Amino acid sequence: MKKTIKWMWQGIDVFITVVLASMIVLVFTNVVLRYGFSSGIRSSVELSRLCLVWIVLLGAAVVLRRGEHLAIAEFSERFFPSAVPILNRLIWVVILVSSGMLFVGAMNQTIANWSNISPLTGLPTALFALAGVVSGLLIVMISLVRIFDPSWLTDMEDQE
């Protein structure tokens, strides 16, 4: 099970890398074409924006899993050291509820906009909201694991 999950997260890392590289190529090519040849790729702006949305939302899930999000814990660790495990679980419950709301809202937007096709790219506009669905689902899974077994994901990273 842990190998499958590790493989999934490595796949997400590779996907983010490929999407970032393609976004860089799209934007660079478009800049060269616009300023060098007074033309451009019409769909590159929308595609690069779609890439950015996917990078940001999947990246949020990746850094949350790794524990690299910005956190300020000095106050609770200094004044309430015995309450830190309870406060951490409470924080994960808040993250769970928030990411659940993200998942439900993004799913509704994906369903509502799947038939709306972008005139520039020919892709469904729901692909923007689909990034929220995937990210919300990943964050929900991370939150559930951290609520019930906070060391599980950390142990998995130590084995890498």
Side-chain angles (χ1 to χ4, degrees):
M1 176 74 168
K2 286 188 179 186
K3 278 190 173 189
T4 305
I5 292 173
K6 182 179 173 183
W7 178 80
M8 178 192 76
W9 286 107
Q10 287 175 343
I12 291 172
D13 288 341
V14 169
F15 179 76
I16 289 173
T17 304
V18 168
V19 169
L20 179 61
S22 63
M23 187 176 93
I24 290 169
V25 168
L26 274 171
V27 171
F28 179 75
T29 303
N30 205 34
V31 167
V32 168
L33 287 174
R34 282 186 191 240
Y35 292 106
F37 302 101
S38 296
S39 67
I41 305 168
R42 294 182 64 198
S43 60
S44 71
V45 173
E46 187 173 337
L47 285 173
S48 61
R49 185 174 41 219
L50 180 63
C51 290
L52 182 65
V53 168
W54 276 91
I55 289 169
V56 167
L57 288 171
L58 285 179
V62 168
V63 298
L64 182 67
R65 175 188 161 260
R66 293 179 183 165
E68 295 175 354
H69 267 290
L70 178 64
I72 302 173
E74 287 82 13
F75 180 78
S76 62
E77 290 173 355
R78 181 174 177 144
F79 295 112
F80 308 108
S82 60
V84 168
I86 296 167
L87 292 173
N88 285 342
R89 285 204 166 95
L90 181 62
I91 289 167
W92 283 110
V93 168
V94 170
I95 292 171
L96 176 67
V97 170
S98 301
S99 57
M101 291 168 42
L102 169 66
F103 174 77
V104 170
M107 181 63 86
N108 290 339
Q109 285 298 313
T110 301
I111 293 168
N113 291 309
W114 196 257
S115 60
N116 294 339
I117 304 300
S118 168
L120 289 176
T121 62
L123 298 172
T125 58
L127 290 176
F128 287 96
L130 186 61
V133 172
V134 173
S135 177
L137 185 62
L138 290 171
I139 295 172
V140 163
M141 291 188 314
I142 293 166
S143 302
L144 287 171
V145 169
R146 294 287 170 100
I147 288 169
F148 294 110
D149 188 9
S151 65
W152 191 67
L153 289 173
T154 308
D155 292 343
M156 189 171 62
E157 288 180 2
D158 292 341
Q159 293 173 1
E160 292 178 8

